């Protein structure tokens, strides 16, 4: 975590102490919590299944939304600051709560009995038909097959516990190798790789402040550092150096269709909140980084990838930028929402981008709205006004 992120964390400490909430995830996240008791699984017949569900969090619960019509299907009460992540199949999402990771059947609008308890549930990573959960408060990694969530029970997992708890991330590759971060609560330094039997086979501590991950074409994994990006490729680590002594790329988005990773790019370690206008494009073939200035800032919830590997960035000017990752050229601009400003507290709502197949979903919490757009044509498909403004935005995404 860089000094800028630590400053924001200190800013939010009073709120965190007052509300006793703790949750971690991308973008220099701290923790949040909820007093909600686990809900018992109800019969699926009580609600008609929602098609391609989208799930949005709000202050006090979750909205389950039909991904095609944007009709609000159900409101789920769930106090606290809760994070929403795809579980890796067509029905479920993973909710990060105060008690740990809980599996929510979004298609049937109900919590299942699958839960992974632990303090400070953090990153959820889908790759190659497996989903890895990293619990920051314990350093525990659990890798599951999302197909096994259909029974409503906690599935068997591959488990690994880091040497020390830290805000980390893990990803399992097709051959069973597990890439996971190294660090402590005070300092994060790099990553290691385990074989199928959890034996260490590679290590690099050349990634100060390691945060976030993304996978590119041919299973090249990128990990963000405060001085570039650490790549794991063909059984070894390679460092992509960034210009200057400090250049943080802590949030990335990858695509199986592209060898180029999309990342943010921050250069001021002392800023309370840096609002960068440049993005980074990391070519995993050449281990080189290209910078593109969009002329507008963005947030850690602004990055995504399109169905053809397009790099997508939602700017604070309200425009969704569709970028050719090979050239860095902005090929399309979609007017999505109005101008907005990233709040100082990372837990506060701001317009958020979620992409599934050829559809981009963009929230506008100030107007309590959610919009869907066709990425190929740029056409707005649907809009809905919700009872409350939303914060986190995600949905079901199956890995095929």
């Amino acid at each position: 975590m860089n000094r800028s992120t630590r400053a924001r964390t200190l800013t939010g400490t009073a709120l965190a102490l007052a509300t006793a909430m703790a949750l971690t995830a991308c973008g220099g996240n701290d923790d949040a919590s909820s007093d909600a008791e686990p809900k018992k699984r109800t019969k699926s017949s009580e609600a008609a299944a929602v098609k391609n569900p989208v799930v949005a969090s709000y202050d006090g619960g979750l909205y389950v939304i039909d991904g095609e019509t944007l009709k609000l299907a159900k409101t789920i009460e769930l106090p606290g600051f809760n994070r929403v992540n795809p579980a890796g199949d067509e029905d479920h999402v993973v909710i990060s709560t105060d008690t740990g990771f809980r599996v929510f059947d979004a298609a049937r609008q109900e919590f299942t009995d699958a839960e992974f308890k632990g303090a400070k549930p953090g990153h959820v990573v889908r790759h190659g038909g497996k989903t890895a959960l990293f619990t920051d408060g314990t350093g525990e990694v659990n890798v599951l097959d999302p197909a096994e969530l259909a029974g409503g029970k906690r599935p068997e997992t591959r488990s690994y516990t880091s040497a020390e708890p830290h805000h980390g991330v893990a990803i399992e590759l097709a051959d069973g190798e597990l890439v996971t971060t190294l660090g402590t609560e005070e300092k994060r330094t790099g990553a290691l790789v385990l074989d199928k039997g959890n034996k260490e086979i590679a290590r690099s501590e050349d990634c100060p402040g390691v945060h976030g991950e993304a996978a590119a074409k041919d299973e090249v994994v990128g990990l963000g550092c405060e001085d570039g990006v650490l790549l794991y490729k063909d059984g070894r680590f390679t460092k992509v150096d960034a210009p200057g002594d400090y250049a943080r790329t802590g949030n990335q988005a990858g695509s199986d269709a592209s060898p180029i990773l999309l990342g943010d790019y921050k250069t001021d370690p002392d800023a309370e909140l840096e609002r960068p206008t440049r993005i980074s494009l990391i070519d995993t073939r050449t281990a080189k980084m290209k910078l593109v200035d969009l002329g507008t800032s963005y947030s850690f919830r602004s990055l995504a990838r399109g169905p053809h590997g397009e790099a997508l960035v939602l700017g604070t000017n309200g425009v969704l930028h569709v970028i050719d990752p090979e050239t860095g050229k902005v090929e399309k601009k979609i007017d999505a929402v109005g101008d907005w400003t990233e709040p100082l507290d990372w837990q506060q709502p701001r317009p958020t981008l979620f992409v599934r197949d050829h559809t981009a979903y963009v929230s506008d919490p100030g107007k309590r709205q959610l919009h869907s757009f066709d990425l190929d044509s740029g056409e707005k498909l649907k809009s809905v006004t919700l009872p409350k403004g939303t914060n986190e935005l995600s949905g079901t995404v199956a890995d095929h």
Side-chain angles (χ1 to χ4, degrees), residues 13 70 88 91 103 142 176 240 242 244 258 359 399:
T13 299
L70 295 194
D91 294 326
V103 177
N142 281 288
V240 180
S258 172
T359 303
D399 287 328

Side-chain angles (χ1 to χ4, degrees), residues 107-225:
R108 293 166 180 78
Q109 310 114 63
E110 61 190 14
F111 277 99
T112 75
D113 292 330
E115 183 173 8
F116 299 83
K117 293 185 177 181
K120 302 181 181 180
H123 285 265
V124 178
V125 177
R126 297 174 298 106
H127 178 74
K130 294 294 180 65
T131 301
L133 314 176
F134 196 105
T135 302
D136 294 352
T138 62
E140 184 178 13
V141 177
N142 281 288
V143 182
L144 61 92
D145 181 346
E148 296 180 4
L149 296 174
K153 304 296 183 182
R154 172 172 166 156
E156 293 294 322
T157 64
R158 172 189 183 175
S159 296
Y160 167 76
T161 301
S162 308
E164 294 192 50
H166 63 281
H167 179 45
V169 67
I171 177 173
E172 184 176 285
L173 304 182
D175 61 2
E177 291 183 349
L178 183 69
V179 183
T180 187
T181 49
L182 289 164
T184 68
E185 291 184 356
E186 290 76 32
K187 186 179 182 180
R188 302 191 299 277
T189 57
L192 57 79
V193 183
L194 307 172
D195 65 12
K196 290 181 180 180
N198 283 0
K199 178 183 177 182
E200 182 177 328
I201 57 175
R203 171 185 290 244
S204 173
E205 298 194 45
D206 187 20
C207 188
V210 59
H211 184 273
E213 61 68 44
K217 187 178 181 180
D218 298 325
E219 281 201 313
V220 183
V221 176
L223 300 162
C225 315

Side-chain angles (χ1 to χ4, degrees), residues 1-6 8 208-209 225-228 242-250 265-271 274 278:
M1 182 179 292
N2 61 38
R3 283 176 283 177
S4 172
T5 305
R6 287 197 294 270
R8 297 200 300 276
C225 315
E226 291 178 349
D227 58 358
D245 294 332
Y246 179 89
R248 183 176 188 265
T249 303
Y265 192 77
K266 296 184 176 182
T267 58
D268 185 354
D270 299 315
E274 185 175 358
R278 289 183 294 177

